[in-house]
Amino acid sequence: MIVPSYLSGHWVTPENPSKLTDVQDARTGEVIHQVSTDGLDIASAIDYARETGQKNLGELTIHERALKLKELALYLGEHKEELYRISDATGATQRDHYIDIDGGIGTLFTFSSKGRRELPNSHVIEDGPWEPLSKDGSFIGTHIYTRIPGVAVQINAFNFPVWGMLEKFAPAFIAGVPTLVKPATPTGYVAEACVRLMVDSGILPEGSIQLISGSARTLLDHLDYRDHVAFTGSAATAATLKSHQNVIEGGVRFTSEADSLNAAILASDVTPEDPEFDAYIKVLFTEMTAKAGQKCTAVRRAIVPAELVDAVADALEAKVKDKVKLGETMGPLASFDQQEDVSAAVAKLEAAGGNKRTIGDVPEQGAYVAPTILTWDKDADEVHNIEAFGPVVSILGYRDDQDAIELAQRGKGSLVATVCTRTLASEYAQGIAAHHGRLHFLDRDDAKTTTGHGSPLPMLIHGGPGRAGGGEELGGIRGVKHYMQRTAIQGTPNHVTAVTGEWHRGADIQRATRKEGDHPFRKPLSELKLGDQFASELRKVTLEDILEFAEKTGDTFYAHTDEEAAMANPFFPRRVAHGYLLVSWAAGLFVSPEPGPVLANYGLENLRFITPVTYDDSIRVELTAKRITPRVTDEYGEVAWDTVLYNQNDEIVATYDVLTLVEKK
Ligand code: NAP
């Protein structure tokens, strides 16, 4: 059967293709699928994404899109058994399915909740604090993120057909950018099954996702500066794609996740008697055998004290012998080509000086490679350059920790390193953090709770510098911004308020006072407007108030209670009011006490005390609706109120944001 593609809203299968590629069951060698891209109209698919996909995604806010990811995750969760069974033919064991399929679904959940918690419910994300650009406040600057106007193309490796796709789809979708997936040929049929479920679910707006099954060598010919390519695969293919004319001259945004010679270092403060030693061996074992070592993050170089090379190799060999049965607890590689590649890489490593140990019997049928340990008596370039993408690990010795740091750096940029240490975390971080996307520190205290060396997490960076490609598909909200353009905005506070959807000081206000009525706390979200403001009367502060507050709270800090000591302090004229007294009084000044649409105050942000308030001063407060975020799942939403306390001379005493929950109607 030819694996269909999903383009321009239709499933398409090439008819009478001139070129077909066979796809084999990794366990048996039987041809189970074929792929071809003959006659597929890729140019129209790109246009379809840029027009239909962009339009439909643009009709949803960031939170609406994030919520759809949760619905999708629930739907895929209900159908994951189907995906497990289809994926069995890739050689994946049940443990491997949890990584690829459940891991992919988990990534959707994480992005869904982070998108709704950490981003505004709008189409624009404001980046960082705004900048005053004129003395009178009439000209200010800020930055915004808006989605890129093209298509998010993903070209993926064979090893994680589901997770590899969903980890890129989730952030692109939240950003509002339609995706075109090109999975790798050997396991693309699993990605096809997953895309079919995604389409059949009816959850995604039309044009959100398209799929090319088969090789697509001319894909980049159709892209330009509006589009983004996220590539995962070998460094060789990354180099070819990166030098495409449309990347070099056409401005196609291109990031890659490529080879990575990840290290696991056993630091000099650990001895074989320590519990850390067992934890370290467990990391090596897991990384060697999960997905049969076909993980971009797997440990390729175990860097250990020179005198422990054999002890580490023996302990790892014993564990593998004890736990691994090929065909049961560890599957074959995903294709027979991979089997050949890995054998060739191991042969090169052996020729360069690696002493090989293979463990266990390889079944006759299937693309199996036995777990392989290479120990090294001396250093060689090959061990830092050749990635054997299977159950293969090299163990090399170091003289001291500085030597270990230098050996790790010779990977020329990696996704992740484990450092197993009790006391040397800071030294290693300074030595190798800049060479890695992620560092995983291990000792007896986190040995049981660690999420593992090789598991990228959706909330943390997945990607590494240099050889690892420089990509950052994951990393929480950073991943979403990857699919957006950052633009500086300059103008009046009203311009910036209109563009960002967030009120900026100096923009128009609609003011209410106690006398005038019309308090903004009486307005539900449906009536509340940015710039709705409440301005209080002045309230005088007396010495008795300050002393009473000190006594009742126990905060008798001298600046509130000892006139002489307060006057000796460089910041205070004499005894001053507690900052928290002023904040409490401000609440009393702006409150509208009767039941109404305001349900709760859930916190303050960015509180700063600026001018001290002493007795006989007065304070007043201005509270302005700054950010209004209706929740997509609830009958209420969040309102952030820009809050400024002034003294009787109109000097700013304190600034902060009050956070409230307010009913929609
Ligand atoms: P690959 O041979 O480079 O292929 C990767 C993808 O590129 C496949 O979808 C392939 O499609 C496509 N491709 C190849 N040449 C192309 C071209 N000229 N134009 C457009 N697309 C092209 O890599 P692989 O063997 O699948 O994956 C193994 C490698 O991926 C390992 O080196 C591993 O380290 C790396 N990897 C890295 C990460 C990471 O996060 N850093 C994650 C996973 C894997 P076809 O299959 O149709 O040829």
Side-chain angles (χ1 to χ4, degrees):
M1 171 204 141
I2 300 179
V3 184
S5 294
Y6 185 70
L7 298 173
S8 303
H10 304 286
W11 288 100
V12 276
T13 311
E15 283 174 24
N16 306 317
S18 60
K19 188 167 173 290
L20 275 169
T21 306
D22 290 341
V23 177
Q24 292 169 287
D25 185 318
R27 301 162 300 183
T28 61
E30 183 197 347
V31 174
I32 47 172
H33 298 287
Q34 293 181 307
V35 291
S36 174
T37 48
D38 265 14
L40 295 185
D41 189 352
I42 309 278
S44 297
I46 304 278
D47 286 344
Y48 179 78
R50 287 186 190 139
E51 287 158 23
T52 307
Q54 281 272 341
K55 176 177 166 295
N56 290 340
L57 282 166
E59 283 168 7
L60 302 176
T61 63
I62 288 172
H63 285 202
E64 287 166 341
R65 293 194 287 258
L67 189 63
K68 283 195 177 288
L69 286 188
K70 182 175 171 191
E71 292 169 25
L72 187 67
L74 290 167
Y75 183 87
L76 292 179
E78 284 164 18
H79 293 81
K80 66 184 179 185
E81 288 289 336
E82 296 165 37
L83 292 176
Y84 293 165
R85 295 298 68 88
I86 292 167
S87 188
D88 284 340
T90 68
T93 61
Q94 185 57 42
R95 173 171 69 145
D96 299 337
H97 295 326
Y98 292 140
I99 303 173
D100 185 37
I101 295 162
D102 294 76
I105 293 169
T107 298
L108 295 180
F109 277 121
T110 301
F111 270 96
S112 176
S113 74
K114 284 185 92 68
R116 282 175 291 146
R117 255 188 298 124
E118 296 175 29
L119 292 175
N121 188 12
S122 67
H123 299 271
V124 172
I125 304 171
E126 186 169 2
D127 178 45
W130 58 275
E131 301 284 339
L133 300 177
S134 72
K135 276 209 173 114
D136 69 353
S138 64
F139 192 58
I140 63 172
T142 192
H143 290 90
I144 58 164
Y145 282 98
T146 52
R147 64 184 175 152
I148 57 168
V151 55
V153 171
Q154 10 170 307
I155 302 177
N156 293 340
F158 67 85
N159 55 342
F160 288 112
V162 174
W163 175 80
M165 171 171 72
L166 297 180
E167 69 154 339
K168 296 178 185 173
F169 172 75
F173 184 81
I174 291 188
V177 181
T179 289
L180 173 64
V181 189
K182 208 249 48 87
T185 293
T187 57
Y189 58 95
V190 184
E192 187 266 349
C194 185
V195 170
R196 192 173 283 280
L197 287 171
M198 292 163 78
V199 172
D200 289 351
S201 74
I203 292 164
L204 302 177
E206 205 187 307
S208 305
I209 188 153
Q210 301 185 77
L211 169 78
I212 300 175
S213 297
S215 78
R217 296 294 182 256
T218 59
L219 181 50
L220 268 67
D221 296 354
H222 306 285
L223 304 180
D224 63 31
Y225 79 98
R226 293 170 289 182
D227 309 311
H228 182 291
V229 176
F231 168 80
T232 303
S234 62
T237 310
T240 308
L241 295 176
K242 224 187 291 185
S243 48
H244 191 284
Q245 202 70 0
N246 284 346
V247 177
I248 295 172
E249 287 178 9
V252 172
R253 296 152 195 255
F254 183 88
T255 55
S256 64
E257 303 283 340
D259 307 357
S260 186
L261 278 297
N262 312 295
I265 301 169
L266 187 67
S268 65
D269 61 340
V270 177
T271 70
E273 290 70 44
D274 290 330
E276 282 74 17
F277 189 83
D278 292 339
Y280 179 76
I281 298 297
K282 192 169 169 218
V283 164
L284 299 188
F285 169 78
T286 303
E287 295 308 311
M288 195 175 189
T289 55
K291 287 290 287 186
Q294 302 166 101
K295 290 196 308 185
C296 50
T297 49
V299 175
R300 305 289 170 208
R301 299 175 299 151
I303 300 176
V304 307
E307 64 280 9
L308 292 183
V309 169
D310 289 335
V312 169
D314 292 347
L316 178 59
E317 181 174 350
K319 192 160 183 104
V320 174
K321 271 194 182 138
D322 181 38
K323 300 257 182 205
V324 171
K325 185 142 178 18
L326 288 180
E328 289 177 20
T329 52
M330 191 180 113
L333 301 192
S335 71
F336 291 86
D337 285 349
Q338 277 305 308
Q339 188 189 34
E340 260 177 46
D341 284 358
V342 171
S343 303
V346 170
K348 281 190 201 161
L349 290 167
E350 231 187 323
N355 308 305
K356 184 170 88 168
R357 305 185 190 185
T358 53
I359 309 157
D361 300 322
V362 175
E364 272 175 27
Q365 241 189 2
Y368 288 94
V369 168
T372 304
I373 298 172
L374 292 145
T375 55
W376 297 75
D377 305 324
K378 61 178 176 39
D379 192 15
D381 288 343
E382 285 80 354
V383 74
H384 305 291
N385 288 323
I386 296 174
E387 182 195 43
F389 202 64
V392 182
V393 65
S394 284
I395 305 179
L396 40 153
Y398 66 77
R399 290 186 306 278
D400 53 28
D401 289 294
Q402 185 53 35
D403 190 32
I405 285 172
E406 284 164 25
L407 287 171
Q409 292 173 348
R410 291 189 61 196
K412 299 196 187 79
S414 305
L415 294 172
V416 52
T418 283
V419 184
C420 186
T421 181
R422 290 284 276 174
T423 59
L424 297 167
S426 167
E427 286 79 353
Y428 274 97
Q430 288 179 49
I432 63 172
H435 300 256
H436 290 83
R438 177 161 62 88
L439 292 185
H440 168 240
F441 288 102
L442 184 70
D443 71 10
R444 68 192 70 183
D445 294 335
D446 63 355
K448 285 220 166 59
T449 51
T450 170
T451 51
H453 162 101
S455 304
L457 299 173
M459 54 295 258
L460 299 179
I461 293 277
H462 171 51
R467 187 203 299 272
E472 38 184 283
E473 272 84 345
L474 294 188
I477 295 308
R478 287 176 210 86
V480 175
K481 291 175 179 170
H482 206 59
Y483 294 95
M484 305 182 98
Q485 173 67 42
R486 190 154 59 114
T487 307
I489 300 292
Q490 292 171 283
T492 64
N494 277 332
H495 291 133
V496 175
T497 295
V499 169
T500 60
E502 186 165 314
W503 183 84
H504 286 69
R505 246 172 245 166
D508 291 345
I509 53 165
Q510 305 85 42
R511 178 179 288 217
T513 60
R514 291 253 180 252
K515 284 188 202 120
E516 291 157 5
D518 219 14
H519 193 296
F521 279 9
R522 313 304 324 157
K523 295 183 183 177
L525 291 191
S526 55
E527 289 171 31
L528 191 69
K529 303 253 173 328
L530 291 179
D532 275 348
Q533 185 182 80
F534 176 79
S536 80
E537 305 290 317
L538 280 167
R539 170 171 181 171
K540 192 161 179 186
V541 183
T542 66
L543 184 58
E544 290 67 43
D545 292 327
I546 297 172
L547 296 176
E548 192 188 354
F549 191 80
E551 192 200 320
K552 289 238 162 92
T553 62
D555 179 355
T556 52
F557 186 60
Y558 72 85
H560 314 301
T561 52
D562 182 335
E563 189 83 352
E564 212 173 308
M567 287 170 81
N569 180 300
F571 299 112
F572 306 123
R574 52 185 183 171
R575 276 174 287 183
V576 292
H578 303 64
Y580 303 117
L581 168 64
L582 301 176
V583 168
S584 305
W585 274 12
L589 287 170
F590 64 59
V591 72
S592 172
E594 301 78 24
V598 176
L599 302 172
N601 167 358
Y602 72 97
L604 300 181
E605 271 178 355
N606 306 321
L607 173 60
R608 284 288 175 280
F609 297 117
I610 296 165
T611 309
V613 171
T614 180
Y615 45 92
D616 299 334
D617 282 348
S618 297
I619 60 160
R620 64 183 181 86
V621 60
E622 284 178 6
L623 181 89
T624 313
K626 170 180 177 175
R627 195 169 55 241
I628 303 175
T629 312
R631 288 201 189 177
V632 282
T633 44
D634 295 300
E635 288 311 307
Y636 57 88
E638 283 99 19
V639 180
W641 303 87
D642 178 274
T643 308
V644 186
L645 291 189
Y646 296 94
N647 65 16
Q648 67 282 3
N649 304 319
D650 288 341
E651 291 163 323
I652 294 182
V653 165
T655 60
Y656 50 101
D657 290 347
V658 172
L659 308 175
T660 58
L661 297 175
V662 180
E663 280 176 328
K664 285 182 177 169
K665 290 193 186 120

